[in-house]
């Protein structure tokens, strides 16, 4: 054990106590519920020191008694846990059709969930709706908006420091105006964390989906929009500009025809392989009437040859994109998500195509997470930050400047 | 960093490995240890032959302090670069200063023959180095294939004429009396770029090597990204427009079609070009010269190549978003490619990376091989320092 070198006397004692408190907090968080004796054993601190630190932490509202341990020989031991209400994380997902949100507490438990159908186009309306959603969630938990320790917004696109605005927001019209970011900061504070929505879903896959026990994986979402979250060495890889995973911009597409305007706006691959791209491809084969990606897949399932060709072409295209991911980053696993990615039979079609073109074969799985994935990823992203804020504030240690 | 052993001596060595000789007060300032502790450790390091007195620092009033540096006989490392056309070898001391460099055309085909040739070159280099530099500490080898997790077997070395896994390490270990460490040549070129090139201080970048074919080394948070199967950076297999899937290629090897980037493809394009004004170039170098001289056909082919490379860079950015991409390798380093690559990338990538031509040229992989040999040698020396008698600190 390294010796702590520092000032001696009363000031040093202060430092020692807060360091001990931090140590105990980390142990309690990891263990869930622990007794004083457990803590003394794990931390190698004396029982009186542990008692003193626990008392301070209880007074600060960080720790509370959770119960007693019975059923073992000897007197019942009092158990301590992190007080869940010591901090709250607000996770928000702004999509094209739905706005979703949830509030989680410091223990990681989700305390409230809600969603709203997005109304109208334009960014301004959505910010107001996000505030409305937030108020609803706070009311359900029984806290003020001030009680939120950290807010994380899952949004399409990336932050563009050159314009101080969100960029590459794809189908979310109006979201890229600088005014929108200003309104978000005004509504949620300047400490608002923004995470790309597909990156957030990747975090959810890492926390409780297929990504829990691999070193590296790519979460590829194909639906109304297209994106990827890349986890390398267990951590999200955001890239130098936060744009790692913007695979909509891969130079892939239907070589016979491209919607030039769409390709310029959101990348050739996204223009070709998103739901809108499937609809265009279906129309090119002669399919008439109300056509959506869902219709095309259903028709293919019923044996419609034209629809089946469209689906096969789509699988080939998505396989090419995954091949690009493999040849650059070679992850252990690729998880396919989004409305198209999760369509029945699609993964098998992609796997068959990938075998012919990729130099190595990753494991391929369909995401088992539902529409709450983005919000849950935001909660996961915010929890570490909230923990840092709450514990540093209470124990008086300077906040770490390193990112969680 | 040091688990057992002498942490003060380790810190001093760390500093001196990468600096000019320093006085003991300077070493105390740099390491944070007290002067008596430093003096003590320096004496021990001199006793075991790792440091020696380098001279005195003049030009100041008062006492003239002695400077200490890594001893000239403290040892050396060897770097080997196994390339399709050439075998390169270099000898460097523990500070990384190169003392010897040799090159021979790659003879024979097949990994076994080439490995034997490389081993003999290493043996000759050891002989030439003699005893003047001290003991050989480590050999680093850059090889043109995917290195397996065991660190000894290599696969897919198309330009050696082989495909199956081959134990590259054993022939080398048999000829030299030091540990041998192996890595893919493009990965090592990327490391070299981080050490002595444009990548210095950049934690996330890509090195795109263009020679006969293409390959990429990715540096992620300062370390080589290998991938789950060692295939990170195998960008020859990118599904670019016009590329033929690898399973359908004749011979399953590097017989490429025009659509793919690299030297083979460029020369195939020259052959396939309908009318050539003047003599068709027979080497890529001649093609570049003609392009610089303004021959329209040559200029078009160089631009086509640059465009394909631009697509490769754009694909890398979409997945990985590096801060910097360095174009290297015998062909990639040519600055003629840069404007057209930048143009293609700017059109396709929303947040383009910085793009540079490597200044390391054909020495990149060899430099990387020296780097891993140095890292290994330094780590071993530091870890095996005996613990001092006095308490550390």
């Amino acid at each position: 054990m390294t010796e702590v070198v520092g000032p001696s006397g009363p000031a040093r004692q202060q430092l020692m106590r807060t360091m001990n408190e931090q140590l105990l907090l980390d142990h309690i968080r990891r263990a869930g519920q622990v007794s004083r004796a457990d803590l003394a054993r794990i931390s190698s601190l004396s029982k009186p020191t542990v008692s003193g630190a626990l008392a301070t932490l209880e007074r600060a509202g960080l720790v509370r008694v959770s119960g007693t341990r019975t059923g073992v020989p000897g007197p019942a031991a009092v158990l301590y846990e992190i007080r869940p209400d010591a901090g709250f994380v607000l996770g928000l997902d702004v999509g094209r059709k739905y706005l979703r949100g949830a509030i989680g507490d410091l223990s990681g438990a989700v305390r409230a969930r809600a969603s709203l159908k997005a109304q109208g186009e334009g960014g301004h309306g959505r910010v107001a709706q996000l505030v409305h959603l937030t108020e609803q969630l706070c009311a359900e938990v029984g806290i003020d908006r001030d009680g939120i320790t950290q807010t994380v917004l899952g949004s399409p696109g990336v932050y563009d420091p050159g314009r101080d605005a969100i960029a590459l927001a794809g189908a979310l019209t109006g979201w890229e105006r600088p005014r929108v970011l200003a309104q978000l900061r005004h509504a949620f504070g300047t400490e608002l964390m923004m995470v790309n929505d597909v990156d957030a879903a990747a975090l959810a896959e890492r926390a409780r989906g297929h990504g829990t026990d691999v070193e590296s994986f790519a979460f590829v979402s194909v639906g109304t929009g297209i994106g990827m979250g890349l986890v390398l060495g267990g951590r999200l890889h955001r890239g130098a500009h936060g744009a790692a995973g913007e695979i909509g911009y891969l130079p892939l597409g239907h070589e016979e025809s491209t919607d030039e305007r769409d390709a310029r706006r959101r990348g050739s691959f996204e223009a070709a392989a998103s739901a809108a791209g499937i609809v265009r491809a279906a129309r090119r084969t002669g399919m008439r009437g109300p056509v959506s990606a869902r219709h095309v897949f259903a028709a293919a399932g019923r044996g419609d040859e034209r629809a089946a060709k469209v689906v096969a072409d789509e699988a080939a295209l998505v396989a090419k994109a995954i091949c690009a991911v493999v040849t650059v980053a070679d992850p252990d696993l690729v998880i396919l998500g989004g409305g198209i990615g999760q369509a029945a039979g699609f993964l098998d079609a992609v796997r068959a195509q990938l075998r012919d073109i990729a130099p190595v074969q990753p494991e391929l799985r369909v995401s088992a997470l539902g529409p709450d994935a983005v919000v849950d990823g935001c909660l996961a992203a915010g929890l570490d930050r909230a923990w840092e804020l709450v514990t540093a504030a209470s124990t008086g240690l300077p906040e770490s400047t390193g990112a969680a | 960093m040091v688990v057992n052993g002498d942490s003060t001596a380790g810190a001093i060595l760390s500093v001196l490995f990468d600096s000019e000789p320093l006085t003991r007060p300077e070493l105390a300032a740099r390491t944070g240890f007290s002067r008596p502790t430093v003096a003590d450790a320096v004496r021990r390091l001199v006793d075991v032959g790792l440091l020696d007195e380098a001279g005195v620092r003049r030009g100041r009033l008062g006492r003239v302090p002695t400077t200490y540096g890594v001893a000239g006989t403290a040892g050396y490392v060897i770097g080997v670069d196994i390339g399709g056309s050439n075998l390169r070898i270099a000898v460097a001391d523990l500070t990384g200063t190169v003392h010897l460099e040799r090159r021979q055309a790659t003879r024979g085909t097949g990994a076994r023959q080439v490995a034997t040739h490389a081993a003999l070159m290493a043996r000759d280099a050891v002989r030439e180095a003699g005893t003047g530099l001290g003991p050989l500490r480590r050999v680093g080898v850059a090889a043109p294939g995917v290195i397996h997790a065991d660190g000894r077997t290599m696969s897919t070395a198309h330009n050696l004429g082989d495909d199956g896994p081959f134990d590259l390490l054993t022939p080398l270990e048999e000829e030299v009396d030091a540990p041998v460490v192996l890595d893919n040549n493009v990965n090592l070129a990327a490391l070299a770029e981080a050490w002595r090139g444009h990548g210095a201080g950049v934690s996330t970048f890509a090195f795109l090597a263009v020679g006969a074919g293409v390959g990429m080394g990715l540096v992620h948070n300062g370390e080589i990204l290998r991938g789950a199967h060692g295939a990170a950076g195998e960008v020859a297999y990118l599904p670019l427009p016009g590329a033929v899937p690898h399973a359908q290629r004749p011979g399953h090897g590097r017989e490429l079609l025009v659509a793919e980037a690299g030297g083979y493809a460029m020369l195939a394009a020259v052959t396939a070009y309908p009318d050539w004004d003047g003599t068709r170039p027979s080497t890529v170098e001649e093609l570049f010269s003609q392009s610089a001289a303004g021959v329209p056909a040559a200029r078009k082919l160089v631009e086509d190549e640059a465009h394909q490379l631009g697509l490769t860079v754009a694909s890398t950015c979409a997945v990985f978003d590096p801060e910097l991409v360095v174009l290297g390798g015998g062909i990639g380093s040519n600055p003629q490619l840069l404007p057209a690559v930048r143009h293609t990338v700017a059109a396709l990538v929303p947040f383009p990376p910085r793009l540079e031509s490597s200044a390391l040229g054909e020495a990149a992989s060899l430099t990387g091989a020296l780097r891993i040999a140095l890292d290994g040698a330094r780590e071993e020396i530091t870890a095996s320092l005996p613990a001092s008698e006095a308490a550390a600190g």
Side-chain angles (χ1 to χ4, degrees):
Chain A
M1 176 112 135
T2 46
E3 206 189 302
V4 177
V5 179
S8 54
R12 183 189 193 183
Q13 278 196 339
Q14 180 82 22
L15 183 64
M16 286 297 290
R17 200 163 66 223
T18 50
M19 284 182 69
N20 288 341
E21 285 158 21
Q22 192 67 51
L23 185 68
L24 292 180
L25 279 171
D26 286 338
H27 282 308
I28 300 171
R29 185 188 187 196
R30 217 170 309 144
Q33 292 186 36
V34 275
S35 69
R36 215 169 11 191
D38 292 335
L39 283 171
R41 201 175 34 247
I42 306 170
S43 67
S44 305
L45 297 170
S46 70
K47 278 202 196 144
T49 307
V50 169
S51 291
L54 277 176
T56 310
L57 290 173
E58 269 188 285
R59 270 197 305 276
L62 285 170
V63 157
R64 70 174 184 190
V65 172
S66 69
T68 52
R69 181 183 294 139
T70 52
V72 289
V78 175
L79 294 172
Y80 294 86
E81 66 179 9
I82 301 293
R83 197 175 132 259
D85 286 12
F88 292 96
V89 182
L90 169 66
L92 294 169
D93 169 17
V94 56
R96 206 169 71 98
K97 290 198 189 132
Y98 287 95
L99 305 173
R100 298 177 206 273
I103 290 180
D105 64 31
L106 208 61
S107 74
V110 177
R111 300 282 285 267
R113 277 193 201 280
S115 62
L116 292 174
K117 201 155 195 293
Q119 268 155 25
E121 302 295 308
H124 172 74
R126 277 193 195 86
V127 178
Q129 280 196 292
L130 287 171
V131 172
H132 183 65
L133 192 62
T134 302
E135 283 162 353
Q136 196 181 319
L137 289 164
C138 285
E140 200 179 317
V141 176
I143 56 173
D144 285 336
R145 287 188 60 195
D146 287 345
I148 302 287
T149 316
Q150 180 64 51
T151 304
V152 182
L153 172 67
S155 164
V158 311
Y159 172 66
D160 178 1
R163 288 171 47 241
D164 191 29
I166 297 168
L168 314 183
L172 212 59
T173 45
W175 202 241
E176 295 177 22
R177 296 204 192 98
R179 208 175 25 160
V180 169
L181 194 58
Q183 283 163 358
L184 282 169
R185 284 187 183 126
H186 181 75
F188 295 100
T190 51
E191 289 305 301
L192 171 69
M193 254 173 83
M194 198 194 102
V195 180
N196 171 268
D197 55 356
V198 182
D199 281 353
L203 287 175
E205 291 283 353
R206 186 187 67 168
R208 56 186 191 83
H210 298 311
T212 49
D213 53 2
V214 284
E215 264 290 293
S216 63
F217 70 91
F219 172 73
V220 175
S221 181
V222 183
T224 314
I226 291 186
M228 176 186 75
L230 186 60
V231 172
L232 297 174
R235 304 194 60 159
L236 186 69
H237 173 68
R238 301 185 62 249
H241 313 88
E246 287 293 322
I247 56 172
Y249 292 86
L250 280 169
L252 299 170
H254 297 300
E255 283 165 37
E256 332 82 53
S257 61
T258 317
D259 183 319
E260 289 292 346
R261 204 173 62 102
D262 204 12
R264 246 197 318 277
R265 198 166 60 87
R266 49 185 185 141
S268 359
F269 178 59
E270 184 160 331
S274 60
I278 287 186
V279 168
R280 282 190 285 262
R283 295 230 181 277
R284 278 197 303 272
T285 69
M287 282 178 83
R288 295 277 170 261
V291 174
S292 69
R294 199 184 304 276
H295 282 132
V296 173
F297 273 82
R302 285 194 305 269
D304 182 321
E305 273 183 25
R306 287 174 311 185
K309 171 95 178 39
V310 172
V311 171
D313 286 349
E314 173 74 1
L317 201 49
V318 172
K320 280 188 181 172
I322 293 176
C323 180
V325 175
V326 169
T327 59
V328 174
D330 185 21
D332 291 275
L333 163 71
V334 174
I335 303 170
L336 213 47
I340 294 167
Q342 292 172 304
F346 192 66
L347 184 80
D348 291 331
V350 168
R351 188 183 281 124
Q353 297 278 358
L354 194 65
R355 215 153 259 151
D356 266 351
I357 58 177
V360 294
Q361 302 300 319
E363 205 194 324
L364 271 173
R365 302 185 76 174
V366 177
S367 171
L369 301 180
D372 288 322
V374 174
V375 169
D376 287 348
C378 289
L379 289 179
L383 186 56
D384 284 338
R385 182 79 188 122
W387 175 259
E388 263 179 30
L389 288 167
V390 166
T391 55
S394 299
T395 57
L397 281 172
E399 281 176 47
S400 132
T401 49
Chain B
M1 175 187 72
V2 179
V3 175
N4 45 18
D6 190 337
S7 59
T8 317
I12 290 170
L13 274 176
S14 260
V15 169
L16 288 175
F17 279 141
D18 288 315
S19 96
E20 30 132 56
L22 298 172
T23 64
R24 281 170 304 187
E26 285 168 338
L27 284 169
R30 296 242 198 142
T31 60
F33 289 104
S34 70
R35 288 190 189 192
T37 308
V38 165
D40 217 48
V42 164
R43 193 175 35 76
R44 282 197 302 280
L45 287 167
V46 169
D47 285 347
V48 296
L50 287 172
L51 293 187
D52 59 16
E53 287 182 22
V56 292
R57 183 81 56 70
R58 299 222 167 266
R60 287 213 180 94
L61 296 173
R63 278 176 33 192
V64 176
T66 318
T67 59
Y68 292 86
V70 178
T73 51
Y76 68 100
V77 297
I78 288 179
V80 181
D81 175 21
I82 298 177
S85 327
N86 289 294
L87 286 172
R88 290 185 162 81
I89 198 161
V91 165
D93 64 32
L94 292 175
T95 67
T97 309
V98 174
H99 289 256
L100 191 85
E101 264 188 85
R102 296 285 174 265
R103 183 180 72 160
Q104 289 178 13
T106 308
R107 293 191 296 267
T109 49
R112 188 176 311 280
Q113 288 195 335
V114 174
T116 309
H117 185 181
L120 291 177
M121 280 185 81
R123 187 200 58 189
D124 290 344
V126 170
R127 223 176 261 153
E128 227 183 304
T131 52
L133 294 169
L136 171 64
R137 297 280 188 175
R138 217 164 201 82
V139 178
V141 181
V146 174
I147 310 301
H148 293 223
D150 65 1
R152 338 178 48 86
T153 330
M154 177 184 71
S155 285
T156 330
H158 295 301
N159 48 351
L160 297 186
D162 258 347
D163 215 0
F166 175 73
D167 175 357
L168 201 54
L169 220 52
T170 305
L172 287 153
E173 282 172 331
E174 283 170 356
E175 287 296 338
V176 295
D177 194 20
V180 183
V181 60
L182 183 63
D183 205 341
N184 165 268
N185 58 355
V186 178
N187 285 345
L188 290 181
L191 267 189
E193 203 66 42
W195 180 25
R196 288 191 165 155
H198 297 292
V202 182
S203 67
T204 300
F205 74 94
F207 178 85
L208 179 56
V210 188
V214 291
M216 193 163 65
L218 291 138
V219 174
H220 173 239
N221 291 341
E223 290 191 3
I224 294 291
L225 181 71
R226 297 177 189 290
H229 313 84
E234 287 288 310
V235 290
Y237 295 94
L238 268 173
L240 298 179
V244 175
H246 81 114
Q248 293 169 26
R249 289 193 198 133
H252 198 277
R254 286 267 194 253
E255 297 81 10
L256 306 168
L257 289 191
V258 173
E260 198 159 320
Y264 283 150
M266 288 172 91
L267 291 176
V270 169
T271 310
Y273 205 86
D275 282 305
W276 201 275
D277 208 355
T279 334
R280 261 170 225 263
S282 56
T283 65
V284 174
E285 219 177 295
E286 282 172 29
L287 179 65
F288 275 119
S289 300
Q290 287 198 20
S291 171
V295 174
R299 204 177 257 172
K300 174 165 191 325
L301 292 187
V302 169
E303 270 174 28
D304 285 351
E305 170 72 6
H307 179 67
Q308 284 299 110
L309 293 176
L311 293 179
T312 303
V313 172
S315 304
T316 305
C317 293
V319 173
F320 190 64
D321 186 22
E323 191 181 320
L324 160 75
V325 175
V326 180
L327 296 177
I331 290 171
S333 310
N334 194 313
Q336 279 186 52
L337 292 165
L338 218 43
V341 174
R342 284 195 177 123
H343 179 80
T344 301
V345 169
L348 292 172
V349 180
F351 295 98
R354 189 160 56 102
L355 264 161
E356 306 280 5
S357 302
S358 172
L360 299 177
E362 308 216 298
S365 296
L366 180 62
T367 306
L370 280 175
R371 176 80 256 173
I372 50 167
L374 272 172
D375 286 345
R378 290 173 176 182
E379 214 176 284
E380 193 184 308
I381 287 171
T382 313
S384 61
L385 291 169
S388 59
E389 299 82 25

